[in-house]
Amino acid sequence: MSSTAGRALPIVPRQYQPALPIDRLIVAEPPDPEHVPMDVVFVGGGPAGLAGAIELARLVRADAEAGGSLGDVQIAVLEKAGALGEHNLSGAVVNPIAFRALFPDLADRDFPFRGPVARERVYFLRERHAHRLPTPPTMRNHGYYVASICEIVRWLGEKAEAAGVNLFTGFPAASLLVEGDRVAGVRTTPSGLSRDGTPGPGYAPPTDITARVTVLAEGTRGALTQAYQRWRSIGSSNPAIFALGVKEVWETRRPLDAVIHTLGWPLPPDTFGGSFFYPLAPNQAALGIVVGLDGPDLDQDVHVLLQRLKHHPLIRPYLEGGEMVEWGAKTIPEGGYWAVPDRRYGDGVIMVGDAAGFVEVASLKGIHYAMQSGIFAARTIFEALKQGDTSARALAPYDALVNDSYIMRDLYERRNMRLAFQGSNLYVGGAKAALMTLTKGRLPGGKFEAEADADVARARRAPAPFQPDGVLSFSKLDAVFRSGNATRDDIPSHLVVGSDVPPDVAELYSHLCPAGVYERDGDRLVVNPANCIDCKATDDIGPRWTPREGGSGATYRTM
């Protein structure tokens, strides 16, 4: 750490973060002569992209059946994972409202949910004790369902394929192709590159895919979405802020009979976050912790926090004698209403789902917002295609649909709840959030300012040593193995790291990354790109993440 006369100074991560490589992500050149022409491309095969593709296919089919003049419309979904669902991670308790809108002829029992929320409990934890609390209104989940986002995505993929959508898995979009101010499609990543970036034996060049409309459904911290917003100078009232969630799926001997949420230990009072414990089946449960990335502790390690949590008397009895079968991590948008981009459309482009920040932190919900935004994007695109105009003017109604829907109504009502904790502690922030809940956001009202995660100063706190036991708690290396990481060992690095990383900044990165990508070796930073599971935690405050060879990263099945 930097010091003056032996006195330690805080680290501000922004000072060491490299710039987003926009010149690689925005490409102003004609597509390859052998490009693949599509009408609409959804970049990302998660709930937002798949819901949008299904709705658009349905509208096109209905138009054809009614004798409309639109004709054939080629719809594609590009997914960077080797198979649908392998890069998706969520809690998850799902509000089924968007499923009902997308599939009005199906009943809730037909959807790919594990089961309804029958009971729920909220606890405040101390290291050895759990104190039950009344369930806040924002966290009441009666009428909702426990689910696996991986299973949801695979099910939606089957519906999309049946609707005639072209699904391309293992095809990450590396760049936006642009013509003037207009997005004209995408260029995928090459595959088969050697460690030094030269073509190897299995090399396949990039593919250019053109489209009249490109829908950015990349999920949290999408590289193309970030680049497009920078390129077009699209801002927001507040900077976006994020949390990191680390999750495990356990085969258990003792059934979990309720949806459980906790706050307090193992987090310090000045760090926002909490845990979730969800029953997936009588012998299976999902356990995770979500921690804001705006905390002041340089040594904050979310993976270690989850390992500590499993030894708590509330949690441990359910896991003893069981087996951890899957592990994963991802970042979550937490900025809410004030961090949503000022506009979510442009010439030939629309942003949906987590890429646009449609997550409501107080209720821990995002899946139905993602799907609904995809549906609205599809309806807007359909009308634009019928007009023969996919300019920004023709796609502008998308924002109106979102703004007039429950998406922005929910985000607005709870616009300041997460922000009440920034720069505060659990008790003061909790009191403000409780008052906001009682008054539906009217008190305290107005707009709370936010500080970007990378601008928050951090200091060393010398955390207590923690040694995983290999039974309940695990090292990062063991955890990455349980993610099913399928990355080649000799793949080129997809991470953009600053040129001069001080030792304590290297320490920050090593704690922040849950997958052991970054290690401090003496005074230098060691980077292990093949460990990356695309959670994008360091992309928020440190080294930048960029798209890499398709099929790399995790191969989640139940997350």
Side-chain angles (χ1 to χ4, degrees):
M1 184 178 295
S2 303
S3 63
T4 301
R7 181 171 55 86
L9 297 177
I11 283 173
V12 178
R14 177 81 68 194
Q15 297 173 357
Y16 307 96
Q17 185 175 37
L20 188 72
I22 295 180
D23 57 333
R24 288 163 45 184
L25 300 169
I26 305 289
V27 177
E29 60 185 51
D32 186 87
E34 297 184 4
H35 69 271
V36 178
M38 287 284 161
D39 293 294
V40 181
V41 170
F42 290 83
V43 180
L50 289 169
I54 292 167
E55 176 72 356
L56 182 56
R58 183 189 67 79
L59 292 169
V60 170
R61 183 177 66 251
D63 180 75
E65 291 172 351
S69 58
L70 186 56
D72 182 49
V73 174
Q74 289 296 313
I75 306 166
V77 174
L78 303 185
E79 170 52 42
K80 61 185 173 66
L84 289 178
E86 289 184 344
H87 285 184
N88 295 99
L89 185 150
S90 183
V93 171
V94 181
N95 181 337
I97 186 172
F99 281 88
R100 294 167 182 164
L102 190 59
F103 303 104
D105 297 332
L106 298 182
D108 285 4
R109 64 178 177 274
D110 300 318
F111 300 138
F113 304 145
R114 288 297 188 99
V117 175
R119 302 178 187 86
E120 52 192 329
R121 298 192 288 270
V122 177
Y123 293 92
F124 178 79
L125 299 188
R126 298 187 185 276
E127 188 169 358
R128 300 292 179 190
H129 302 281
H131 306 277
R132 189 168 177 182
L133 303 174
T135 302
T138 56
M139 298 178 68
R140 291 173 186 164
N141 291 293
H142 178 74
Y144 299 163
Y145 295 85
V146 177
S148 156
I149 188 63
C150 299
E151 294 169 357
I152 285 174
V153 165
R154 288 196 292 270
W155 185 85
L156 288 172
E158 293 172 0
K159 298 297 184 184
E161 197 165 33
V165 174
N166 301 285
L167 301 180
F168 299 108
T169 56
F171 282 88
S175 312
L176 288 177
L177 298 175
V178 300
E179 298 173 352
D181 295 342
R182 177 178 173 270
V183 174
V186 298
R187 174 169 295 163
T188 68
T189 61
S191 61
L193 293 176
S194 300
R195 192 187 302 275
D196 62 2
T198 59
Y203 175 73
T207 299
D208 287 353
I209 302 174
T210 58
R212 289 192 274 176
V213 182
T214 300
V215 183
L216 296 176
E218 299 175 284
T220 178
R221 297 201 62 80
L224 302 189
T225 306
Q226 291 183 67
Y228 180 77
Q229 291 177 13
R230 299 278 182 90
W231 178 54
R232 302 312 304 156
S233 300
I234 300 173
S236 55
S237 296
N238 273 346
I241 60 175
F242 294 84
L244 175 62
V246 180
K247 175 183 173 182
E248 296 176 357
V249 175
W250 278 73
E251 300 290 349
T252 61
R253 292 187 177 181
R254 177 180 172 180
L256 180 64
D257 66 348
V259 161
I260 292 175
H261 294 101
T262 78
L263 63 157
W265 189 89
L267 294 174
D270 59 359
T271 299
F272 180 82
S275 78
F276 61 88
F277 199 15
Y278 297 162
L280 296 174
N283 66 334
Q284 192 177 65
L287 174 69
I289 192 166
V290 178
V291 181
L293 293 179
D294 56 353
D297 183 2
L298 183 146
D299 298 298
Q300 177 177 287
D301 193 315
V302 181
H303 172 77
V304 170
L305 290 172
L306 178 60
Q307 304 315 303
R308 292 184 186 277
L309 175 69
K310 289 183 289 184
H311 290 268
H312 192 277
L314 177 69
I315 307 296
R316 181 173 188 143
Y318 291 99
L319 304 183
E320 286 183 319
E323 180 186 4
M324 193 262 278
V325 295
E326 198 164 8
W327 174 96
K330 68 166 283 191
T331 46
I332 303 162
E334 286 201 331
Y337 180 84
W338 301 117
V340 170
D342 293 335
R343 62 180 171 90
R344 285 83 69 186
Y345 66 90
D347 288 312
V349 67
I350 283 178
M351 295 171 268
V352 297
D354 282 15
F358 297 143
V359 173
E360 204 289 289
V361 178
S363 61
L364 308 175
K365 298 290 183 293
I367 293 172
H368 66 296
Y369 299 129
M371 291 179 63
Q372 189 65 61
S373 68
I375 293 168
F376 288 149
R379 293 173 183 174
T380 302
I381 293 166
F382 175 71
E383 294 298 330
L385 293 175
K386 287 181 68 174
Q387 297 168 19
D389 178 8
T390 57
S391 67
R393 183 196 63 80
L395 298 179
Y398 167 69
D399 269 12
L401 289 174
V402 171
N403 292 344
D404 292 341
S405 74
Y406 63 79
I407 298 175
M408 293 303 276
R409 283 199 300 271
D410 289 356
L411 292 186
Y412 181 77
E413 181 178 311
R414 298 156 190 173
R415 61 196 178 278
N416 291 322
M417 285 189 183
R418 167 63 176 91
L419 304 181
F421 292 86
Q422 195 174 67
S424 185
N425 62 39
L426 172 65
Y427 309 105
V428 175
K432 292 178 183 176
L435 186 55
M436 292 174 192
T437 300
L438 292 172
T439 63
K440 294 190 177 295
R442 287 187 288 272
L443 291 173
K447 172 178 175 284
F448 280 36
E449 301 296 328
E451 187 174 24
D453 299 329
D455 293 326
V456 175
R458 296 152 203 261
R460 300 297 301 271
R461 287 187 175 174
F466 180 78
Q467 184 64 39
D469 60 17
V471 179
L472 280 184
S473 50
F474 302 90
S475 69
K476 291 184 178 182
L477 184 62
D478 287 338
V480 171
F481 177 77
R482 305 295 178 95
S483 75
N485 188 4
T487 309
R488 289 189 292 116
D489 288 338
D490 59 348
I491 195 171
S493 180
H494 61 297
L495 303 166
V496 182
V497 184
S499 58
D500 184 17
V501 179
D504 280 329
V505 176
E507 192 79 18
L508 167 64
Y509 298 164
S510 71
H511 289 293
L512 177 63
C513 175
V517 173
Y518 303 94
E519 297 178 273
R520 178 180 173 180
D521 181 13
D523 287 343
R524 70 188 186 99
L525 176 68
V526 177
V527 184
N528 308 299
N531 279 20
C532 181
I533 55 164
D534 300 345
C535 76
K536 304 179 186 175
T538 58
D539 184 72
D540 185 33
I541 69 168
R544 299 289 189 172
W545 180 95
T546 63
R548 55 179 169 167
E549 179 177 301
S552 299
T555 55
Y556 300 141
R557 302 299 301 167
T558 317
M559 286 287 159

